Amino acid sequence: MWDTLWTDIHVATADPALMSEKDGYGCIHNAAIGIENGRICWVGAARDLPEAPQALAHDIRSGHGLWMTPGLVDAHTHVIYAGDRSLEFAERLNGVSYAEIARKGGGILSTVNATRSVSENELFDVTARRVRRMITEGTTTVEMKSGYGLTLEDELKQLRVARAIGNALPIRVHATFLGAHALPPEFRDRQDDYVSHLITDILPQAVEEKLIDSIDGFCENIAFTTDQIERLFMAAHELGIPVRLHSEQLSNSGGTRLAARYGALSTDHLEYVVEDDVMELAKASTVAMLLPGAFYFIRETRIPPVDLFRKHNVPMGLATDCNPGTSPSVSLTGIMNMACTLFRMTPEEAFSAVTRIGSQALGLQNITGTLTTGKAADMLLWDIAGPHELSYWIGGRRPLHRIFDGKLDPVI
């Protein structure tokens, strides 16, 4: 017998096989979902169940006519950090420039210093508080980057915290090594030497400890060059580790084309990509990960070319980009609303972006992201009029119930 059978539900599966021009959610009305050993073993219209519910499952649960969706996938976050930068937000609004804030010890290096100064246990505690908020907002899978340590000891500390979060809390964690995030003060004016340090010292140790699932970098005129990022990507390729990239956020610097050439899982931000870049993403089947939280927070005016992504069938993902400097957000449904209002994405596109396409951006499309047979039973029960409502509420909407790995979890 199955472990659990959910009945009296409407299901937005996010399954492309069920989508049409009139239904971009893959809906099944008056549906049922069977779960066995944490996996979906049956999904379809309740009238098509092979036997009476009592003969199929040990535990029968009613959804009381509500909507079930896949768990949400947050495929770009910097959630592992210590310290606070909320005062900088107030200072900027009062006319203090970013350069002046940095001279006073603010900016990204203030987060680096704060993250370096705490123990691994302390870093776990502050991170877990944020992740618990993500869980209450419906996130069941989260990507977590390093990049606020920038030393061997502190990068590994962040990555160990990512692994510990995945073991301690009901959430799937994809850990990303982002040593090429910023230049640490120890390597001032020695950027190439720092990239060598990442490749020869930090990366091998992280791999030996099995701490990383992918490698990221910040390719931009204020960060790392395409040549430097390519050295990192070549090292990742030799180790068989997938890559992703922050690119074209502030200018067109060639990072997107580089990422596509290396078959990146995703390229992220992308306000300044041009059509040639988009065509390369399409050839590589790389996800265009859009981050409206950062766009909103820094008051960017150049919108990512959503129409070009549509034209060339490049999959569009959405993520919170949770970080202390430019996107203090933990709510994916709030991000969906921003994407629809700021980027003119449709609610159907936003829904796929934080479910099916989000899982693709993490290489987890065979595990999660849709409510289909064989996938993990990571599911959310919502008291909503339909899946379109998930993009409606300013500030986001929380699920009524959360099922993770087949188990009904209390909202933390």
Side-chain angles (χ1 to χ4, degrees), residues 189-224:
D189 299 324
R190 294 190 298 129
Q191 202 155 357
D192 285 333
D193 290 343
Y194 177 62
V195 173
S196 296
H197 174 56
L198 295 178
I199 294 169
T200 61
D201 300 323
I202 303 181
L203 182 56
Q205 186 65 34
V207 170
E208 183 178 342
E209 294 188 30
K210 299 180 179 179
L211 294 177
I212 58 176
D213 301 307
S214 63
I215 291 173
D216 198 348
F218 185 18
C219 187
E220 190 52 77
N221 53 18
I222 62 169
F224 295 89

Side-chain angles (χ1 to χ4, degrees), residues 25 318 332-341 345-351 354 386-394 396-397:
Y25 303 100
L318 292 170
L332 275 173
T333 53
I335 291 297
M336 292 167 71
N337 175 269
M338 286 187 187
C340 292
T341 55
M345 289 176 68
T346 68
E348 293 89 346
E349 288 172 331
F351 177 74
V354 299
H388 59 276
E389 191 179 335
L390 298 180
S391 296
Y392 169 69
W393 289 96
I394 298 173
R397 182 69 186 266

Side-chain angles (χ1 to χ4, degrees), residues 289-409:
M289 185 59 60
L290 309 183
L291 305 171
F295 177 94
Y296 164 83
F297 200 79
I298 67 173
R299 295 190 284 184
E300 177 60 74
T301 57
R302 181 161 175 144
I303 297 173
V306 168
D307 284 339
L308 287 179
F309 298 137
R310 290 173 179 147
K311 175 183 176 181
H312 295 286
N313 296 313
V314 173
M316 291 182 287
L318 292 170
T320 63
D321 191 18
C322 176
N323 75 77
T326 63
S327 190
S329 172
V330 296
S331 172
L332 275 173
T333 53
I335 291 297
M336 292 167 71
N337 175 269
M338 286 187 187
C340 292
T341 55
L342 299 176
F343 295 168
R344 298 298 186 262
M345 289 176 68
T346 68
E348 293 89 346
E349 288 172 331
F351 177 74
S352 290
V354 299
T355 54
R356 175 175 56 87
I357 296 171
S359 67
Q360 179 184 340
L362 299 180
L364 297 175
Q365 60 268 38
N366 294 327
I367 297 174
T368 191
T370 63
L371 298 184
T372 50
T373 302
K375 296 285 185 75
D378 297 348
M379 314 188 302
L380 305 170
L381 191 66
W382 306 85
D383 185 5
I384 52 178
H388 59 276
E389 191 179 335
L390 298 180
S391 296
Y392 169 69
W393 289 96
I394 298 173
R397 182 69 186 266
R398 291 185 175 185
L400 188 65
H401 291 297
R402 181 181 186 272
I403 299 95
F404 178 73
D405 203 26
K407 300 178 180 65
L408 183 64
D409 285 332

Side-chain angles (χ1 to χ4, degrees), residues 215-220 224-234 236-237 241-248 252-270 273 276-289 314:
I215 291 173
D216 198 348
F218 185 18
C219 187
E220 190 52 77
F224 295 89
T225 68
T226 53
D227 288 344
Q228 291 163 341
I229 293 296
E230 183 162 23
R231 290 175 57 200
L232 186 64
F233 280 7
M234 289 174 63
H237 182 72
I241 301 173
V243 299
R244 53 180 14 93
L245 190 64
H246 293 60
S247 64
E248 270 67 61
N252 189 285
S253 57
T256 298
R257 293 187 293 279
L258 172 67
R261 193 161 75 246
Y262 280 84
L265 290 172
S266 71
T267 52
D268 305 28
H269 288 290
L270 302 177
V273 291
D276 286 348
D277 301 332
V278 175
M279 293 171 67
E280 293 303 312
L281 292 180
K283 292 176 186 176
S285 299
T286 295
V287 171
M289 185 59 60
V314 173

